[in-house]
Amino acid sequence: MLAENSLSLDQIREIEETGTFNKLKVTLLDVRTSEEVKGGRIDKAVNVPVGELEQDLALAPDLFKKKYGFNLPTHDSKTEALLVYCKSGMRTRRAIDILSKREYKNNLYAYFGGWDEYSNPNTN
C-alpha cells in the first residue's frame, strides 16, 4: 500500500463530513467483528469482518449487497473508493492485503489509527 493511501484522523473527519476523498465517494469499511462494532463505529461505516472478507468478495454483487446492505465499489471504479479501518491497524493490514489481491489499488485507502485513535483522539 502506498504511503499516500494511509489517511490521518483529520482526513477521516473530513470524509465523515463530505463523504468524499480526492473527489471519490468513500465507503468506510469497518473490518472488526460484529460484536466489536456494537461498541461504536465511525459514522456511516459498514461492517464486513476481515474473517469473512476474502470469501465474501467472491460473492456476486447482488448477494454481497443482500448480505451486507451496500454495494461494494469495484476495484477499477473512477468515482468510488474504499477506506478500511479496524481497532488499531492489524486487521486493516490484513484487509488491505486481501483487497490488493483483488486488484484494489488506486481507490483503496487505510486508516491505521483505527477505532482506538478515532474514539480517543486526545490520548494518542
Side-chain angles (χ1 to χ4, degrees):
M1 160 152 275
L2 301 173
E4 60 265 23
N5 287 12
S6 179
L7 304 185
S8 68
L9 178 58
D10 289 339
Q11 290 168 310
I12 299 303
R13 299 272 189 220
E14 181 181 323
I15 290 168
E16 270 189 303
E17 288 180 29
T18 65
T20 63
F21 184 74
N22 284 346
K23 300 180 183 174
L24 299 170
K25 179 183 173 205
V26 175
T27 297
L28 292 159
L29 191 63
D30 187 328
V31 296
R32 297 177 295 155
T33 66
S34 301
E35 199 60 35
E36 287 175 288
V37 172
K38 290 178 184 175
R41 66 179 179 184
I42 297 175
D43 189 36
K44 299 181 185 119
V46 292
N47 178 233
V48 178
V50 73
E52 300 172 24
L53 182 62
E54 190 163 18
Q55 176 179 329
D56 289 348
L57 285 173
L59 292 172
D62 60 325
L63 294 176
F64 186 95
K65 184 175 182 176
K66 183 176 182 182
K67 183 172 182 176
Y68 292 108
F70 72 99
N71 290 314
L72 187 69
T74 60
H75 69 88
D76 57 353
S77 177
K78 303 288 187 221
T79 60
E80 296 180 285
L82 277 176
L83 177 113
V84 181
Y85 78 95
C86 65
K87 181 178 185 293
S88 61
M90 295 295 289
R91 287 171 285 182
T92 297
R93 290 180 203 290
R94 187 166 159 218
I96 292 296
D97 287 344
I98 291 166
L99 289 159
S100 293
K101 288 176 186 169
R102 292 285 187 145
E103 299 184 34
Y104 283 87
K105 290 178 182 48
N106 295 326
N107 64 340
L108 180 61
Y109 297 92
Y111 174 44
F112 291 109
W115 180 249
D116 281 352
E117 178 182 74
Y118 179 87
S119 61
N120 299 295
N122 297 322
T123 60
N124 294 306

